Amino acid sequence: MANSPGRLLPLVAALFCGAVLAQAATPSDHTVTSAAPSAGTSPHPKSGGLPITAKRGEPSSSKHPAPTPTAHPPATKPPASSTRASRAQPDDWNLAGHGKVLYLTFDDGPQHEWTPKVLQVLRKHNARATFFVLGIQVAQYPELVTAERAAGHTVGNHTYDHKTLTGLPDAKIRQEIAGGITSKCLRPPTGATNAKVAAAAAAYHQREVLWDVDTKDWEKPGAAHIEHAILKGARPGAIILMHDGGGNRAQTVAALDRALTKLTKLGFTYRALPC
Ligand code: ZN
């Protein structure tokens, strides 16, 4: 999956979101023109490069079954008419337009042990990030969501309890989305989405947000591996996927600290997505 071309995803989703959000027109798309500090990651395509795409294949743990190549529907290609230039997009989603900015994202929390540790590392590096939380976890640790927001981070909806939305009937899809936290962003569990999921997200005025870089931290490959994935994928505007819930995240915390130390020296800053 790591070798698959980026930007495979549900561009259809953005169409819905773009139409429904009906926010200010964006002056440009999510074009990345600068080289990343380290090579090896596919650049964003110049056209049709929406800010919300990514590779699929996310989480797992005992709670979140590991994705398999057949676990998700084929990537949805943008329809021929999906020229982004003609679409209204929120100005603040011109992610690559801010220079050497990374968008760190953490899924499956909040979790009482690891979320505070992630918050601590982010604070140490003066980094802002986005937490895609599960409604079921929020119900248990609402104070951690308050802490995330108080620290300047943003919070996105990762549904109520991490069901794969593409396998659900419409009413259940809406139920899963509605059961999650109120946000302008939705990250469907495992990144699995289709036109029905996109339509449901749009109905709740939530933009589907996936990722550009999957650190595979949920596989617990070792902190060095996760750190390498972050460093390799770092480029202006990149959305990086990590987890603060769903299992032991000691490797994620260690890797995050090391990677941010290096990336800051390279001139990167870290912003929260406008969720
Ligand atoms: Zn997840």
Side-chain angles (χ1 to χ4, degrees):
M1 225 172 298
N3 293 327
S4 62
R7 304 287 161 195
L8 286 178
L9 258 177
L11 306 180
V12 172
L15 300 184
F16 282 108
C17 294
V20 173
L21 287 172
Q23 297 189 32
T26 190
S28 64
D29 66 12
H30 185 53
T31 299
V32 174
T33 54
S34 308
S38 55
T41 305
S42 300
H44 301 251
K46 273 201 113 175
S47 62
L50 294 166
I52 57 170
T53 50
K55 295 158 189 160
R56 292 167 298 123
E58 193 207 10
S60 72
S61 72
S62 51
K63 192 166 127 191
H64 304 138
T68 64
T70 56
H72 307 308
T76 304
K77 301 258 182 182
S81 60
S82 72
T83 50
R84 191 156 176 269
S86 65
R87 295 283 166 181
Q89 292 287 335
D91 197 22
D92 49 10
W93 278 92
N94 181 22
L95 301 184
H98 301 296
K100 292 178 88 170
V101 172
L102 295 178
Y103 295 89
L104 309 169
T105 65
F106 300 89
D107 288 10
D108 298 358
Q111 199 273 349
H112 67 283
E113 182 172 6
W114 302 108
T115 302
K117 288 184 166 64
V118 168
L119 286 171
Q120 190 176 17
V121 172
L122 293 173
R123 187 163 53 244
K124 173 182 171 184
H125 295 277
N126 192 29
R128 300 293 177 272
T130 302
F131 291 85
F132 286 91
V133 299
L134 295 170
I136 193 170
Q137 294 294 111
V138 173
Q140 204 171 351
Y141 307 109
E143 71 281 2
L144 289 174
V145 174
T146 302
E148 289 167 353
R149 287 179 167 146
H153 309 299
T154 54
V155 178
N157 182 9
H158 199 39
T159 74
Y160 176 68
D161 64 353
H162 216 273
K163 288 188 176 65
T164 301
L165 299 180
T166 50
L168 300 178
D170 289 0
K172 287 284 186 187
I173 293 173
R174 290 194 297 273
Q175 194 176 320
E176 279 293 313
I177 294 173
I181 201 161
T182 301
S183 173
K184 287 187 281 184
C185 302
L186 171 72
R187 177 170 282 169
T190 75
T193 187
N194 57 21
K196 291 199 309 181
V197 173
Y204 286 98
H205 303 273
Q206 297 184 13
R207 170 189 285 262
E208 287 193 289
V209 178
L210 300 182
W211 55 86
D212 299 301
V213 180
D214 184 356
T215 62
K216 304 279 183 90
D217 64 333
W218 48 272
E219 290 182 334
K220 299 177 189 170
H225 183 99
I226 298 167
E227 177 193 355
H228 178 71
I230 298 170
L231 296 174
K232 184 181 172 191
R235 63 180 179 275
I239 299 173
I240 299 178
L241 171 66
M242 289 167 277
H243 295 80
D244 63 322
N248 185 311
R249 297 297 166 229
Q251 294 182 7
T252 301
V253 171
L256 180 67
D257 190 22
R258 292 184 216 162
L260 295 193
T261 297
K262 293 176 182 173
L263 290 170
T264 300
K265 286 178 183 168
L266 291 171
F268 278 96
T269 58
Y270 319 96
R271 290 190 193 176
L273 291 165
C275 293

